[in-house]
Amino acid sequence: MIHKIQLPVTQPVDIWRDEWGVAHIHAVTDMDAFVALGWAHAQDRLWQMEASVRKGTGRWAEWVGAEGVPADRLARLLRCEWAAKRDLDNLTVEAREMLERYAEGVNAYIEISDWPPEYKLLKVAPQRWEPWHSIVAMRQVGFLLGSLWMKLLRAAALPSLGVDGASKLRYDDGGNERTCFPWNTSAERWPMQLDQLAPAVAELLRLGAADQSGGGSNNWVVGGAHTAHGKPILMGDPHRELDIPIIYQQTHVRGASFDAIGLTVPGVPGFPHFAHNHHVAWCVTVSFVDLADLYIEQFRDFGREYRTESGWVPTTRRVEIIRVRDAGDVLLDVFETRHGAAVVGNPVTGTAITLKSAQFLEEDRSFDCLLRTLRARTVPELYEGTRGWGLADHNVVAADTQGNIGHRVRALVPDRPRANGWIPVPGWTGEHEWKGIVPFEAMPASINPASGKIVTAN
């Protein structure tokens, strides 16, 4: 049946749940649809939504205690809250209104005090949802994906394996690089030339670091020439862990200019990864584009200055206070260079590694993209709608009712020397600086390849 509920909307909105509990939202206006989506998400996933914001802003330990401190440290080092607020200010008026109306829907549900049981267990009340919280929730889903971890792994392995051994540590199936285009071809791999990074190798052999990586998804599309009915077939298979709750929620949302169904991310309006409207369907895999660099920095005077190609310059410092449940506060002394915060090592002793990531340092307009993709009518329109997306890197594979199929890498990718891709690089030489962002037109993309087949996997 259709339930009438009280929402801060301009015209009546219907939310109907089918036999599987999937919410179907029918609104007269687009913005009223986002209000209702905020309500529906909060009704099902409010605690998960706030947990994502806390993890993404460095406030997780306030709920879970000391075990949350390491994650909070990283979120504070990367200034995740600052980045989300900056991105909100830079969005279009319509995208900001989308986030504001979505927040109104979430807060309308919070006000009825029918909260998930986790709040009772923690003896806390939900925080009010702010428009920038949605940006944090979306960024947190793809937090530091990519080849960053392999750089750290190689750095940690250098003392044991040496240069030759460390050069073999990569995502490797034993053959050459498989390509999406042309179909069924491969390309030779670019060998690691660690001799170009002799200063970095010398520092890493003294310093060291470690981490891990994992995950993998598949998708494919075939054109009508390969199907019995002459229309494309699209498949998306996200290899997500079976979390409780999982990061996705199936939802159907209809407004004035769109009618789409797929997998939403609780806390986020729109369909960032998997969905279709009446005209076009899309799905993603992580592309593992290299979005972040690690720089070995040299410090002096107890970390007050760091070295550049032009001489020694002042280090930026700030103190973050991490509140910890059932324990004392943790003070985090943050040292920042032009490349970002020191994440490994101790600047006070003279050497540390800083992290520079396009996910945080570059202006992001991903939430402008959400509206455009919802309204897309063809694969080309869908891909044009992704211009400016930078919260994570994806292979977006798509098909439309006109028979088009396509693939595009959706990401903001730094333009810098290839040597940056292997291990942490010297931060004081000026030879490994970013030259900007790879233009949208230069990113890998194809529509209707001659083979009529597209496969991506990671």
Side-chain angles (χ1 to χ4, degrees):
M1 62 180 295
I2 296 177
H3 301 278
K4 301 294 184 181
I5 58 177
Q6 295 297 318
L7 288 174
V9 292
T10 60
Q11 300 188 55
V13 175
D14 295 329
I15 301 179
W16 169 74
R17 291 187 180 271
D18 61 26
E19 60 184 300
W20 296 283
V22 175
H24 298 258
I25 296 168
H26 296 172
V28 177
T29 73
D30 291 345
M31 295 304 157
D32 283 351
F34 293 126
V35 174
L37 180 59
W39 169 282
H41 276 167
Q43 186 178 39
D44 290 348
R45 304 285 191 93
L46 179 61
W47 186 85
Q48 178 190 18
M49 292 161 58
E50 185 171 347
S52 293
V53 173
R54 287 181 172 275
K55 291 176 182 178
T57 56
R59 296 182 56 210
W60 184 231
E62 293 178 17
W63 274 6
V64 301
E67 69 181 67
V69 171
D72 283 358
R73 288 173 58 90
L74 183 58
R76 299 293 184 92
L77 287 170
L78 296 176
R79 297 196 298 169
C80 299
E81 180 174 332
W82 168 85
K85 292 178 178 178
R86 172 206 62 191
D87 294 341
L88 177 67
D89 289 342
N90 290 328
L91 293 176
T92 63
V93 172
E94 188 179 30
R96 287 199 302 272
E97 184 182 4
M98 172 185 70
L99 292 175
E100 291 164 358
R101 300 304 307 284
Y102 178 88
E104 289 177 14
V106 175
N107 291 326
Y109 183 80
I110 291 175
E111 289 174 4
I112 69 173
S113 300
D114 183 20
W115 305 331
E118 288 90 346
Y119 288 102
K120 185 176 182 179
L121 293 172
L122 289 169
K123 298 180 181 179
V124 297
Q127 66 178 346
R128 182 175 178 82
W129 194 264
E130 301 291 341
W132 61 270
H133 286 174
S134 293
I135 302 177
V136 173
M138 189 69 250
R139 184 175 270 121
Q140 201 268 337
V141 169
F143 198 56
L144 294 182
L145 284 171
S147 59
L148 167 68
W149 310 109
M150 290 302 294
K151 296 179 187 180
L152 287 171
L153 178 61
R154 294 187 194 105
L158 267 172
S160 299
L161 300 182
V163 171
D164 291 340
S167 68
K168 298 174 183 177
L169 292 175
R170 59 184 299 159
Y171 298 109
D172 200 338
D173 59 6
N176 289 328
E177 302 283 11
R178 300 292 292 175
T179 62
C180 294
F181 312 104
W183 171 259
N184 202 30
T185 60
S186 60
E188 292 186 7
R189 288 178 167 165
W190 189 62
M192 186 193 303
Q193 297 176 357
L194 286 181
D195 57 327
Q196 298 177 6
L197 298 175
V201 171
E203 291 290 342
L204 287 170
L205 289 174
R206 294 195 307 105
L207 190 60
D211 216 303
Q212 60 184 0
S213 180
S217 303
N218 309 308
N219 61 16
W220 55 258
V221 64
V222 294
H226 300 288
T227 66
H229 48 58
K231 295 291 185 180
I233 296 177
L234 173 70
M235 187 284 297
D237 178 17
H239 288 188
R240 299 294 311 192
E241 293 182 1
L242 295 178
D243 300 325
I244 300 177
I246 199 167
I247 69 162
Y248 293 123
Q249 181 173 11
Q250 189 173 1
T251 315
H252 173 205
V253 185
R254 187 176 74 191
S257 67
F258 59 82
D259 186 351
I261 189 168
L263 300 182
T264 58
V265 174
V268 178
F271 298 85
H273 293 165
F274 301 85
H276 68 84
N277 56 30
H278 286 290
H279 308 283
V280 61
W282 60 95
C283 58
V284 304
T285 64
V286 176
S287 58
F288 284 95
V289 172
D290 192 7
L291 303 179
D293 283 345
L294 295 158
Y295 290 86
I296 306 169
E297 309 280 14
Q298 295 181 348
F299 295 87
R300 73 178 185 182
D301 193 17
F302 300 98
R304 293 185 178 91
E305 293 183 323
Y306 68 96
R307 184 183 173 191
T308 73
E309 66 276 15
S310 302
W312 296 88
V313 298
T315 304
T316 300
R317 296 184 66 175
R318 56 188 164 88
V319 175
E320 295 276 350
I321 301 174
I322 300 175
R323 311 292 184 189
V324 185
R325 185 181 182 89
D326 299 326
D329 295 345
V330 173
L331 298 183
L332 178 61
D333 197 3
V334 182
F335 295 77
E336 288 184 334
T337 73
R338 58 183 175 177
H339 301 124
V343 295
V344 176
N346 185 357
V348 172
T349 62
T351 306
I353 293 178
T354 56
L355 170 62
K356 183 174 183 178
S357 171
Q359 287 182 297
F360 303 96
L361 296 184
E362 296 299 322
E363 179 183 307
D364 182 83
R365 295 183 177 273
S366 296
F367 279 75
D368 286 338
C369 302
L370 291 178
L371 280 165
R372 295 195 296 260
T373 54
L374 271 174
R375 296 163 176 164
R377 300 176 68 88
T378 65
V379 170
E381 282 186 20
L382 178 80
Y383 289 159
E384 179 59 30
T386 67
R387 186 184 292 268
W389 178 278
L391 285 178
D393 55 303
H394 297 124
N395 296 297
V396 183
V397 174
D400 64 35
T401 55
Q402 297 183 21
N404 298 306
I405 66 172
H407 162 265
R408 169 169 277 277
V409 175
R410 179 178 68 173
L412 296 180
V413 183
D415 178 9
R416 77 288 216 196
R418 298 182 78 176
N420 290 33
W422 296 114
I423 59 174
V425 294
W428 62 88
T429 66
E431 298 176 1
H432 301 281
E433 302 307 310
W434 292 4
K435 304 171 186 176
I437 296 296
V438 175
F440 178 82
E441 291 76 13
M443 292 295 291
S446 179
I447 295 176
N448 297 325
S451 66
K453 305 173 186 177
I454 300 169
V455 175
T456 80
N458 55 62

